[in-house]
């Protein structure tokens, strides 16, 4: 699964591979926010482009898209139509010309080239748009059609393998966020580009990303997605239930389901952090705001652009307008009966999977010593 492909969604949008099946983001969850034709480069192991490399234009088959979902326009359509996402970037760029005027910009993972086009319109001196999927060919055409060939150079290739015609850039812009913020691990690519090409006084956009946690009541959906396996047409398929429990569900959560406060787990400063900072263990304390049952914890992220004239950004939280990233639901083994004011506390460990660094392993330790529930448990999840 890549970040934009759903692993089962309340919308039941199924999931043809060629379809943008992403089941994948304002500051309404503000309580916690306070806080040319360039060179052709051989594409080898772009997250997924190897197999698609031999296939040109309309000759693609589903197998090619399986290996290179970003080559299909569907995923880009979905991202572009995510107005919270795309408008946020557009507003950041157009309302903060001073960040771009006469600057050299690097667009990491340019896709259709949309961010590069915004930057060119905002007066950038030159934009280097790097894209490893077949969409790079479209980006070249789009740049030309819109009359920006002099300003934007699309480079087809992996950021980690291409050569830039300039030694340093003033701005790095990227939309790298995956489900649960870190899934797909494109952050490493942005950090690589930053360390290699960003000038000392350069800026990374966005420069802050934070992960947040809350707890929800979700009896009905847990029954449908998890307990379902107990009795399938009279057969016990509960062995699958264990797997289903381990896979975080990317889906939209209704704000009414929220039982506790929302807690900030981790803030990352993209301009300073190292790759290792994306693996961490952090404590949490969720305090119930009403008497209810807790079936799952829900993670989401916020992104901010602190270098703007005014702080800008967006949230993918359940109280904000929904985005294609939705939220990430982690079902609990236990149904926790929690009383208003009681605390569900624990730690969350997030790490890249050792075998496949694009996958994420999450370990949740939680406990409550309440009036109606006394539980202490460790659960492991894998996003893949
Ligand atoms: N900037 C575009 C696309 C964002 S999606 C937009 O905002 O609409 C991320 C893009 O990064 C995808 O098109 C993917 O193919 C590309 N990508 C991911 N890893 C990359 C890498 N290592 N080198 C070059 N491109 C990469």
């Amino acid at each position: 699964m890549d970040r934009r492909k759903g692993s089962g969604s309340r919308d039941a949008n199924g999931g043809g591979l060629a379809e943008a099946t992403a089941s994948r983001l304002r500051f309404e969850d503000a309580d916690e926010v306070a806080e040319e034709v360039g060179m052709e480069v051989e594409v080898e192991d772009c997250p997924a482009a190897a197999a698609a490399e031999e296939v040109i234009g309309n000759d693609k088959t589903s197998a090619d898209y399986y290996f290179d979902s970003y080559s299909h326009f569907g995923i880009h359509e979905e991202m572009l139509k995510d107005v919270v996402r795309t408008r946020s970037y557009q507003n950041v760029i157009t309302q903060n010309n001073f960040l771009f005027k006469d600057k050299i910009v690097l667009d990491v993972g340019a896709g259709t080239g949309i961010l590069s086009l915004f930057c060119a319109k905002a007066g950038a001196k030159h934009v280097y748009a790097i894209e490893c999927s077949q969409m790079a060919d479209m980006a070249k055409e789009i740049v030309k059609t819109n009359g920006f060939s002099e300003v934007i150079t699309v480079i087809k290739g992996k950021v980690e393998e291409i050569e830039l015609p300039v030694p340093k850039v003033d701005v790095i812009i990227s939309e790298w966020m995956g489900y649960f913020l870190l899934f797909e691990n494109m952050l490493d690519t942005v950090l690589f580009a930053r360390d290699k090409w960003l000038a000392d006084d350069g800026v990374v956009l966005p420069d802050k990303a934070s992960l947040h946690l809350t707890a929800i009541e979700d009896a009905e959906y847990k029954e449908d997605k998890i307990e379902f396996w107990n009795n399938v047409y009279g057969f016990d398929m509960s062995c699958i239930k264990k797997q289903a429990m381990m896979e975080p569900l990317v889906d939209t959560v209704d704000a009414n389901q929220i039982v506790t406060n929302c807690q900030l787990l981790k803030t990352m400063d993209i301009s300073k952090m190292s790759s290792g900072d994306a693996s961490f263990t952090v404590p949490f304390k969720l305090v119930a705001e009403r008497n209810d049952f807790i079936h799952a914890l829900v993670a989401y992220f916020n992104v901010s652009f602190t270098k703007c004239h005014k702080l800008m950004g967006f949230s993918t939280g359940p109280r904000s307008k929904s985005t294609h990233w939705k939220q990430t639901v982690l079902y609990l083994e236990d149904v926790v009966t929690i009383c208003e004011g009681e605390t569900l506390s624990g730690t969350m460990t997030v790490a890249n999977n050792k075998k496949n660094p694009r996958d994420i392993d999450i370990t949740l330790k939680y406990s409550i010593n309440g009036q109606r529930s006394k539980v202490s448990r460790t659960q492991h999840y894998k996003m893949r």
Side-chain angles (χ1 to χ4, degrees):
M1 171 175 117
D2 71 48
R3 68 167 149 172
R4 284 141 180 131
K5 258 187 246 132
S7 60
S9 149
R10 272 161 238 239
D11 307 342
N13 59 0
L17 282 164
E19 195 185 59
T21 58
S23 16
R24 196 181 85 99
L25 333 189
R26 264 142 53 135
F27 275 152
E28 278 153 38
D29 293 77
D31 49 333
E32 335 98 63
V33 167
E35 292 209 56
E36 196 86 316
V37 229
M39 310 162 256
E40 291 281 342
V41 181
E42 238 180 61
V43 182
E44 281 203 326
D45 56 337
C46 174
E53 187 55 7
E54 292 147 34
V55 189
I56 307 151
N58 294 330
D59 300 336
K60 288 199 185 115
T61 66
S62 58
D64 304 311
Y65 289 125
Y66 180 82
F67 286 108
D68 184 12
S69 55
Y70 285 110
S71 288
H72 191 274
F73 65 85
I75 248 165
H76 296 277
E77 178 181 355
E78 181 175 42
M79 291 189 289
L80 294 168
K81 285 183 176 166
D82 180 338
V83 290
V84 174
R85 182 200 87 108
T86 312
R87 281 251 181 262
S88 293
Y89 276 85
Q90 183 182 34
N91 291 340
V92 162
I93 299 166
T94 56
Q95 293 171 20
N96 295 277
N97 282 19
F98 72 95
L99 289 172
F100 302 91
K101 187 106 187 72
D102 301 324
K103 299 284 167 67
I104 306 284
V105 180
L106 181 64
D107 179 357
V108 172
T112 53
I114 184 75
L115 305 183
S116 296
L117 292 162
F118 290 150
C119 293
K121 265 188 106 170
K125 187 172 170 192
H126 205 91
V127 187
Y128 295 95
I130 313 179
E131 172 57 46
C132 63
S133 76
Q134 304 296 309
M135 195 47 63
D137 300 331
M138 294 292 109
K140 285 179 190 174
E141 206 169 319
I142 292 164
V143 164
K144 206 171 157 199
T145 307
N146 289 278
F148 285 104
S149 300
E150 299 295 310
V151 187
I152 303 172
T153 303
V154 177
I155 301 176
K156 185 177 182 180
K158 234 186 139 185
V159 168
E160 292 80 354
E161 293 165 3
I162 60 110
E163 274 178 43
L164 258 196
V166 289
K168 292 286 166 200
V169 301
D170 305 305
V171 179
I172 289 183
I173 193 155
S174 184
E175 195 284 79
W176 52 269
M177 297 79 74
Y179 293 135
F180 188 68
L181 182 64
L182 297 166
F183 187 59
E184 227 188 328
N185 203 10
M186 200 185 147
L187 175 57
D188 270 356
T189 299
V190 176
L191 301 182
F192 174 93
R194 179 199 68 187
D195 293 345
K196 190 165 180 183
W197 295 299
L198 190 64
D200 289 344
D201 55 351
V203 295
V204 185
L205 301 167
D207 60 332
K208 294 268 164 63
S210 55
L211 199 61
H212 304 250
L213 193 69
T214 189
I216 58 164
E217 187 284 331
D218 204 21
E220 208 179 313
Y221 207 61
K222 188 182 180 199
E223 187 70 32
D224 182 46
K225 294 297 291 181
I226 308 286
E227 308 307 334
F228 163 78
W229 298 106
N230 290 336
N231 179 350
V232 182
Y233 296 89
F235 300 104
D236 181 344
M237 297 194 183
S238 55
C239 55
I240 293 180
K241 187 171 140 177
K242 292 192 194 91
Q243 290 180 9
M245 282 291 295
M246 281 189 80
E247 272 196 31
L249 191 75
V250 174
D251 211 342
T252 38
V253 164
D254 194 293
N256 297 324
Q257 293 176 260
I258 301 174
V259 176
T260 66
N261 60 316
C262 298
Q263 187 177 341
L264 169 68
L265 287 180
K266 173 95 179 162
T267 300
M268 284 181 256
D269 183 339
I270 317 304
S271 66
K272 293 199 185 93
M273 69 181 289
S274 66
S275 174
D277 299 337
S279 297
F280 51 83
T281 297
V282 283
F284 63 82
K285 261 193 181 146
L286 298 172
V287 183
E289 289 170 346
R290 63 187 188 215
N291 287 352
D292 211 330
F293 303 98
I294 291 174
H295 299 90
L297 298 191
V298 172
Y300 61 91
F301 64 91
N302 295 352
V303 162
S304 38
F305 301 77
T306 71
K307 295 289 184 294
C308 295
H309 183 58
K310 266 173 73 179
L311 176 67
M312 296 178 86
F314 58 88
S315 172
T316 69
R319 290 196 176 98
S320 299
K321 189 170 172 196
S322 79
T323 71
H324 78 287
W325 285 286
K326 303 187 179 181
Q327 287 90 36
T328 302
V329 182
L330 305 142
Y331 283 109
L332 304 182
E333 296 270 354
D334 313 275
V335 177
V336 177
T337 308
I338 199 163
C339 304
E340 187 177 340
E342 287 182 356
T343 304
L344 179 70
S345 58
T347 59
M348 183 186 263
T349 302
V350 177
N352 294 330
N353 183 275
K354 292 205 170 62
K355 272 198 214 139
N356 183 355
R358 292 197 174 267
D359 292 354
I360 297 181
D361 295 336
I362 305 168
T363 302
L364 204 60
K365 288 189 181 174
Y366 59 90
S367 62
I368 177 167
N369 188 3
Q371 216 178 304
R372 308 227 156 105
S373 266
K374 293 191 199 313
V375 186
S376 187
R377 193 185 285 279
T378 301
Q379 280 183 242
H380 301 281
Y381 303 85
K382 273 183 202 306
M383 291 203 73
R384 59 190 155 197

